[in-house]
Amino acid sequence: MGMALLEVKHARLYYTTTKGIVKAVDDVSFELNEGETLAVVGESGSGKSTLAKLLVRVWERNVSLIDGEIYLDGKEVLHIPEEEFRREIRWKKIAMVPQASMNALNPVIRIGDQMIEPLLLQGTSKDEALKMAMDALESVGLPRDIVSRYPHQLSGGMKQRVIIAMAIMAHPKIVILDEPTSALDVITQANIMNLLKKLKWEYKLSYIFITHDLALASELADSVAIMYAGKMVEIGGAEDIYGNPSHPYTQGLISSAPTLRVDKTLSFIPGEVPSLISPPPGCRFHPRCPFYRDRDYLKGLCDAKEPPMMELESKASRKHLVACWLYK
């Protein structure tokens, strides 16, 4: 296991809306080791994409609270001035492939001009920036003359590769991948996943891979963080999460995913992710939890007190942490 490259401690990001305060990311802590992939898995509405925005500091204007600490290479970067973060951190040390990234390209601007814009703002010369853009396109399997084309001239898979090329262009240490294969057909998804594996080893990248698909996450993940209603509920090595899922929510996700080699009866998690404006008291999963419904001794505990992160026995070289009163 490598040294910790990214440390997130008690991070919070709340938004103000007409209906109240949305606690989109609420007291989240985790680490990312150098050269490894952390998969962040959870249902839609669990706060995964908001966590990604917090890490690269591209939150919306209606933010009401930003708190916690984010250390990148030992330096706290959440509270440094925006100009310093833009000049020294964003794209150069941490970059992001956004959700629905195929729609992130401006349809009336050439690919090359869109790729070099952040580099120009950081003081890179146009000729050097254009060379970096063409090198990045070549590394993702696209011809260098793509820089002169418009987005409508590219297929969906080619657009996705362009966005990935933009993310790796300045050789960052960390790339955040927010649903990088969504809206792509199965063959193109497989090609993009193979490309990501190739780039990881070629550029010695660390990934934060955000998805709702546990099977897809297993392709890349060294460790897995399960997110529910703005909180991390289980974190551990991929061997522990897939082989010994401990939080009832993680167990529900695993049991709802089909497998190729083992016959099993698929199940589902009843209900839906709660409102992040008024989340349930105590454990936020308790209204949907089968253990809470079946075990009387959990009444007055799961619905009253928020469970702390507890360490379990691990089969991996990483800690296995779970926030559940079943293990207290």
mmCIF file of all heavy atoms in Angstrom, residues 220-244:
data_model
loop_
_atom_site.group_PDB
_atom_site.id
_atom_site.type_symbol
_atom_site.label_atom_id
_atom_site.label_comp_id
_atom_site.label_asym_id
_atom_site.label_seq_id
_atom_site.Cartn_x
_atom_site.Cartn_y
_atom_site.Cartn_z
ATOM 1 N N LEU A 220 -11.763 -1.577 -11.447
ATOM 2 C CA LEU A 220 -10.650 -0.677 -11.173
ATOM 3 C C LEU A 220 -10.270 -0.570 -9.706
ATOM 4 O O LEU A 220 -9.145 -0.209 -9.374
ATOM 5 C CB LEU A 220 -10.988 0.739 -11.677
ATOM 6 C CG LEU A 220 -10.803 1.062 -13.158
ATOM 7 C CD1 LEU A 220 -11.342 2.450 -13.458
ATOM 8 C CD2 LEU A 220 -9.351 0.977 -13.565
ATOM 9 N N ALA A 221 -11.211 -0.871 -8.818
ATOM 10 C CA ALA A 221 -11.067 -0.468 -7.418
ATOM 11 C C ALA A 221 -10.019 -1.267 -6.653
ATOM 12 O O ALA A 221 -9.989 -2.499 -6.702
ATOM 13 C CB ALA A 221 -12.416 -0.591 -6.711
ATOM 14 N N ASP A 222 -9.160 -0.541 -5.930
ATOM 15 C CA ASP A 222 -8.308 -1.135 -4.905
ATOM 16 C C ASP A 222 -9.018 -1.070 -3.560
ATOM 17 O O ASP A 222 -8.870 -1.958 -2.721
ATOM 18 C CB ASP A 222 -6.976 -0.389 -4.815
ATOM 19 C CG ASP A 222 -6.183 -0.483 -6.108
ATOM 20 O OD1 ASP A 222 -5.791 -1.593 -6.470
ATOM 21 O OD2 ASP A 222 -5.980 0.558 -6.760
ATOM 22 N N SER A 223 -9.765 0.008 -3.332
ATOM 23 C CA SER A 223 -10.581 0.159 -2.133
ATOM 24 C C SER A 223 -11.918 0.757 -2.535
ATOM 25 O O SER A 223 -12.055 1.342 -3.613
ATOM 26 C CB SER A 223 -9.883 1.030 -1.085
ATOM 27 O OG SER A 223 -9.502 2.274 -1.630
ATOM 28 N N VAL A 224 -12.909 0.600 -1.662
ATOM 29 C CA VAL A 224 -14.277 1.019 -1.973
ATOM 30 C C VAL A 224 -14.840 1.782 -0.791
ATOM 31 O O VAL A 224 -14.665 1.388 0.368
ATOM 32 C CB VAL A 224 -15.184 -0.200 -2.282
ATOM 33 C CG1 VAL A 224 -16.600 0.254 -2.628
ATOM 34 C CG2 VAL A 224 -14.602 -1.026 -3.423
ATOM 35 N N ALA A 225 -15.515 2.895 -1.089
ATOM 36 C CA ALA A 225 -16.239 3.658 -0.071
ATOM 37 C C ALA A 225 -17.711 3.670 -0.457
ATOM 38 O O ALA A 225 -18.060 4.059 -1.578
ATOM 39 C CB ALA A 225 -15.697 5.088 0.018
ATOM 40 N N ILE A 226 -18.557 3.226 0.454
ATOM 41 C CA ILE A 226 -19.998 3.193 0.209
ATOM 42 C C ILE A 226 -20.609 4.459 0.806
ATOM 43 O O ILE A 226 -20.441 4.731 2.000
ATOM 44 C CB ILE A 226 -20.648 1.948 0.832
ATOM 45 C CG1 ILE A 226 -19.941 0.674 0.342
ATOM 46 C CG2 ILE A 226 -22.130 1.899 0.509
ATOM 47 C CD1 ILE A 226 -20.042 0.417 -1.136
ATOM 48 N N MET A 227 -21.318 5.222 -0.019
ATOM 49 C CA MET A 227 -21.880 6.500 0.414
ATOM 50 C C MET A 227 -23.399 6.420 0.418
ATOM 51 O O MET A 227 -24.016 5.896 -0.519
ATOM 52 C CB MET A 227 -21.402 7.617 -0.512
ATOM 53 C CG MET A 227 -21.547 9.008 0.059
ATOM 54 S SD MET A 227 -20.543 10.196 -0.857
ATOM 55 C CE MET A 227 -20.896 11.680 0.102
ATOM 56 N N TYR A 228 -23.994 6.951 1.490
ATOM 57 C CA TYR A 228 -25.454 6.943 1.606
ATOM 58 C C TYR A 228 -25.914 8.224 2.282
ATOM 59 O O TYR A 228 -25.438 8.554 3.378
ATOM 60 C CB TYR A 228 -25.931 5.726 2.422
ATOM 61 C CG TYR A 228 -27.436 5.643 2.529
ATOM 62 C CD1 TYR A 228 -28.202 5.154 1.480
ATOM 63 C CD2 TYR A 228 -28.104 6.095 3.670
ATOM 64 C CE1 TYR A 228 -29.585 5.103 1.559
ATOM 65 C CE2 TYR A 228 -29.487 6.043 3.764
ATOM 66 C CZ TYR A 228 -30.222 5.546 2.695
ATOM 67 O OH TYR A 228 -31.584 5.514 2.765
ATOM 68 N N ALA A 229 -26.814 8.950 1.632
ATOM 69 C CA ALA A 229 -27.436 10.151 2.197
ATOM 70 C C ALA A 229 -26.411 11.142 2.738
ATOM 71 O O ALA A 229 -26.548 11.653 3.846
ATOM 72 C CB ALA A 229 -28.437 9.761 3.290
ATOM 73 N N GLY A 230 -25.370 11.388 1.962
ATOM 74 C CA GLY A 230 -24.377 12.394 2.322
ATOM 75 C C GLY A 230 -23.270 11.915 3.233
ATOM 76 O O GLY A 230 -22.386 12.692 3.588
ATOM 77 N N LYS A 231 -23.274 10.623 3.616
ATOM 78 C CA LYS A 231 -22.278 10.098 4.552
ATOM 79 C C LYS A 231 -21.617 8.837 4.005
ATOM 80 O O LYS A 231 -22.222 8.105 3.221
ATOM 81 C CB LYS A 231 -22.922 9.777 5.899
ATOM 82 C CG LYS A 231 -23.344 11.007 6.696
ATOM 83 C CD LYS A 231 -23.888 10.602 8.045
ATOM 84 C CE LYS A 231 -24.125 11.816 8.933
ATOM 85 N NZ LYS A 231 -22.864 12.469 9.355
ATOM 86 N N MET A 232 -20.386 8.587 4.440
ATOM 87 C CA MET A 232 -19.729 7.310 4.188
ATOM 88 C C MET A 232 -20.208 6.320 5.239
ATOM 89 O O MET A 232 -20.096 6.592 6.440
ATOM 90 C CB MET A 232 -18.207 7.446 4.276
ATOM 91 C CG MET A 232 -17.581 8.344 3.228
ATOM 92 S SD MET A 232 -17.675 7.640 1.582
ATOM 93 C CE MET A 232 -16.572 8.768 0.698
ATOM 94 N N VAL A 233 -20.722 5.162 4.799
ATOM 95 C CA VAL A 233 -21.216 4.171 5.765
ATOM 96 C C VAL A 233 -20.296 2.962 5.871
ATOM 97 O O VAL A 233 -20.350 2.231 6.861
ATOM 98 C CB VAL A 233 -22.651 3.719 5.430
ATOM 99 C CG1 VAL A 233 -23.617 4.892 5.539
ATOM 100 C CG2 VAL A 233 -22.725 3.082 4.056
ATOM 101 N N GLU A 234 -19.445 2.741 4.849
ATOM 102 C CA GLU A 234 -18.485 1.633 4.917
ATOM 103 C C GLU A 234 -17.322 1.937 3.984
ATOM 104 O O GLU A 234 -17.512 2.407 2.854
ATOM 105 C CB GLU A 234 -19.142 0.300 4.529
ATOM 106 C CG GLU A 234 -18.218 -0.891 4.741
ATOM 107 C CD GLU A 234 -18.936 -2.238 4.625
ATOM 108 O OE1 GLU A 234 -20.161 -2.248 4.361
ATOM 109 O OE2 GLU A 234 -18.265 -3.275 4.808
ATOM 110 N N ILE A 235 -16.111 1.684 4.453
ATOM 111 C CA ILE A 235 -14.899 1.913 3.671
ATOM 112 C C ILE A 235 -13.958 0.732 3.912
ATOM 113 O O ILE A 235 -13.772 0.303 5.049
ATOM 114 C CB ILE A 235 -14.185 3.220 4.080
ATOM 115 C CG1 ILE A 235 -15.129 4.421 3.968
ATOM 116 C CG2 ILE A 235 -12.955 3.450 3.206
ATOM 117 C CD1 ILE A 235 -14.534 5.712 4.518
ATOM 118 N N GLY A 236 -13.370 0.231 2.855
ATOM 119 C CA GLY A 236 -12.425 -0.872 3.033
ATOM 120 C C GLY A 236 -11.794 -1.284 1.717
ATOM 121 O O GLY A 236 -12.132 -0.757 0.649
ATOM 122 N N GLY A 237 -10.872 -2.235 1.790
ATOM 123 C CA GLY A 237 -10.291 -2.803 0.594
ATOM 124 C C GLY A 237 -11.355 -3.516 -0.226
ATOM 125 O O GLY A 237 -12.380 -3.967 0.304
ATOM 126 N N ALA A 238 -11.124 -3.607 -1.529
ATOM 127 C CA ALA A 238 -12.110 -4.242 -2.402
ATOM 128 C C ALA A 238 -12.415 -5.668 -1.957
ATOM 129 O O ALA A 238 -13.554 -6.127 -2.036
ATOM 130 C CB ALA A 238 -11.600 -4.222 -3.843
ATOM 131 N N GLU A 239 -11.382 -6.393 -1.436
ATOM 132 C CA GLU A 239 -11.600 -7.765 -0.984
ATOM 133 C C GLU A 239 -12.626 -7.814 0.149
ATOM 134 O O GLU A 239 -13.461 -8.722 0.212
ATOM 135 C CB GLU A 239 -10.284 -8.387 -0.496
ATOM 136 C CG GLU A 239 -9.143 -8.323 -1.498
ATOM 137 C CD GLU A 239 -8.219 -7.146 -1.254
ATOM 138 O OE1 GLU A 239 -8.722 -6.004 -1.130
ATOM 139 O OE2 GLU A 239 -6.998 -7.357 -1.180
ATOM 140 N N ASP A 240 -12.552 -6.841 1.067
ATOM 141 C CA ASP A 240 -13.474 -6.824 2.202
ATOM 142 C C ASP A 240 -14.885 -6.416 1.779
ATOM 143 O O ASP A 240 -15.872 -7.019 2.214
ATOM 144 C CB ASP A 240 -12.965 -5.862 3.278
ATOM 145 C CG ASP A 240 -11.765 -6.413 4.037
ATOM 146 O OD1 ASP A 240 -11.739 -7.637 4.267
ATOM 147 O OD2 ASP A 240 -10.864 -5.643 4.376
ATOM 148 N N ILE A 241 -14.976 -5.394 0.956
ATOM 149 C CA ILE A 241 -16.305 -4.888 0.576
ATOM 150 C C ILE A 241 -17.066 -5.907 -0.258
ATOM 151 O O ILE A 241 -18.261 -6.138 -0.056
ATOM 152 C CB ILE A 241 -16.179 -3.549 -0.183
ATOM 153 C CG1 ILE A 241 -15.497 -2.491 0.693
ATOM 154 C CG2 ILE A 241 -17.550 -3.067 -0.638
ATOM 155 C CD1 ILE A 241 -16.227 -2.156 1.972
ATOM 156 N N TYR A 242 -16.369 -6.543 -1.195
ATOM 157 C CA TYR A 242 -17.043 -7.519 -2.053
ATOM 158 C C TYR A 242 -17.157 -8.893 -1.388
ATOM 159 O O TYR A 242 -18.141 -9.607 -1.606
ATOM 160 C CB TYR A 242 -16.297 -7.655 -3.393
ATOM 161 C CG TYR A 242 -16.476 -6.455 -4.287
ATOM 162 C CD1 TYR A 242 -15.506 -5.459 -4.353
ATOM 163 C CD2 TYR A 242 -17.626 -6.295 -5.066
ATOM 164 C CE1 TYR A 242 -15.669 -4.342 -5.164
ATOM 165 C CE2 TYR A 242 -17.796 -5.187 -5.882
ATOM 166 C CZ TYR A 242 -16.813 -4.214 -5.926
ATOM 167 O OH TYR A 242 -16.992 -3.107 -6.728
ATOM 168 N N GLY A 243 -16.168 -9.251 -0.583
ATOM 169 C CA GLY A 243 -16.172 -10.577 0.028
ATOM 170 C C GLY A 243 -16.848 -10.626 1.374
ATOM 171 O O GLY A 243 -17.365 -11.675 1.775
ATOM 172 N N ASN A 244 -16.865 -9.503 2.094
ATOM 173 C CA ASN A 244 -17.470 -9.468 3.424
ATOM 174 C C ASN A 244 -18.176 -8.136 3.650
ATOM 175 O O ASN A 244 -17.811 -7.366 4.542
ATOM 176 C CB ASN A 244 -16.386 -9.679 4.490
ATOM 177 C CG ASN A 244 -16.947 -9.710 5.890
ATOM 178 O OD1 ASN A 244 -18.075 -10.165 6.118
ATOM 179 N ND2 ASN A 244 -16.179 -9.209 6.859
#
